[in-house]
Amino acid sequence: KAGVTQTPRYLIKTRGQQVTLSCSPISGHRSVSWYQQTPGQGLQFLFEYFSETQRNKGNFPGRFSGRQFSNSRSEMNVSTLELGDSALYLCASSLAPTSASYEQYFGPGTRLTVT
Amino acid sequence: AQRVTQPEKLLSVFKGAPVELKCNYSYSGSPELFWYVQYSRQRLQLLLRHISRESIKGFTADLNKGETSFHLKKPFAQEEDSAMYYCALKLHSSASKIIFGSGTRLSIRP
């Protein structure tokens, strides 16, 4: 079974631009979560999608948004990029949020550098 | 507020020595706790979860609600255990919102 894939793997943007990151979950997984990983703040939850609906959101400004498509693929968007948005963005998928056999599988991440 | 604390940023032990990675949590609800591991140049992956009460790769972790701890232990460290370890808390009010600790880098010396 193919794992979680994220594209692109690396991205360089300048301040003020916007960026869209993509995540394809494991086949059959319907829940997708996004995390931001930085040296200073560690791993922080961004949001979670299930059945094309955002179920939960972390403490991030409105510049961070996302969506999920009917095939469970998900995108996250960051508008008006700031230097502090430089991070590794991780996507994780699971069967469903309320799955009794709960396990999230992580993708390799997208490394975003804002200059 | 919910919080996961891993007091050690780096833990270095000799091969064959016992290992204990500390994790303390703060949560008023019923906790679900996990340990995730990230080996060099690999993805973050689940190591074990407290509800399973299993031993994975020789590691065990016991939830101590009185001390609000979920320390990860292994009696005899192996070189391949060198990795970054994250303790994580899943909030019951939110199915997929996980709070991660800051991580401990475990280095096993030969």
Side-chain angles (χ1 to χ4, degrees):
Chain A
K1 208 183 232 187
V4 178
T5 58
Q6 292 186 246
T7 56
R9 292 294 310 280
Y10 302 92
L11 205 48
I12 300 175
K13 292 284 189 180
T14 55
R15 286 170 57 187
Q17 287 187 314
Q18 75 162 13
V19 68
T20 299
L21 313 181
S22 180
C23 171
S24 292
I26 290 173
S27 178
H29 284 193
R30 296 170 60 201
S31 174
V32 173
S33 298
W34 288 88
Y35 296 84
Q36 181 196 64
Q37 186 175 26
T38 59
Q41 299 296 319
L43 272 157
Q44 292 186 285
F45 172 81
L46 277 158
F47 27 63
E48 179 217 351
Y49 287 88
F50 176 68
S51 293
E52 302 177 64
T53 302
Q54 185 181 91
R55 287 173 51 89
N56 293 291
K57 193 177 193 313
N59 296 327
F60 280 82
R63 299 185 296 106
F64 290 81
S65 63
R67 58 178 176 168
Q68 187 181 34
F69 301 95
S70 58
N71 62 358
S72 295
R73 190 177 70 83
S74 177
E75 288 182 347
M76 68 163 280
N77 183 278
V78 188
S79 62
T80 321
L81 283 165
E82 299 177 0
L83 295 178
D85 297 333
S86 294
L88 181 67
Y89 290 88
L90 293 172
C91 165
S93 77
S94 61
L95 281 169
T98 55
S99 169
S101 178
Y102 181 93
E103 181 170 350
Q104 283 189 331
Y105 293 84
F106 283 82
T110 293
R111 172 76 60 189
L112 172 65
T113 302
V114 181
T115 62
Chain B
Q2 304 93 4
R3 187 170 58 247
V4 175
T5 304
Q6 293 180 253
E8 304 135 330
K9 283 194 170 181
L10 172 66
L11 184 63
S12 183
V13 302
F14 283 106
K15 176 182 172 182
V19 172
E20 182 178 50
L21 288 80
K22 291 185 167 49
C23 172
N24 288 90
Y25 67 92
S26 173
Y27 182 46
S28 57
S30 183
E32 276 193 60
L33 287 146
F34 305 80
W35 277 98
Y36 283 83
V37 61
Q38 188 166 29
Y39 301 102
S40 179
R41 288 188 289 278
Q42 291 189 29
R43 305 176 182 206
L44 190 65
Q45 58 187 283
L46 179 67
L47 179 62
L48 54 79
R49 68 194 97 178
H50 91 268
I51 57 173
S52 301
R53 302 183 65 83
E54 56 197 343
S55 173
I56 303 292
K57 299 185 179 182
F59 284 99
T60 59
D62 290 318
L63 175 60
N64 186 322
K65 289 188 179 180
E67 296 182 359
T68 59
S69 67
F70 188 56
H71 303 326
L72 184 68
K73 299 177 184 178
K74 184 169 183 175
F76 308 104
Q78 298 173 289
E79 288 186 65
E80 54 266 33
D81 296 330
S82 293
M84 194 74 180
Y85 291 80
Y86 295 94
C87 182
L89 167 69
K90 184 166 85 73
L91 306 183
H92 257 269
S93 61
S94 163
S96 288
K97 183 175 179 180
I98 296 183
I99 295 175
F100 284 87
S102 54
T104 297
R105 181 165 298 283
L106 177 63
S107 175
I108 307 301
R109 289 179 281 178

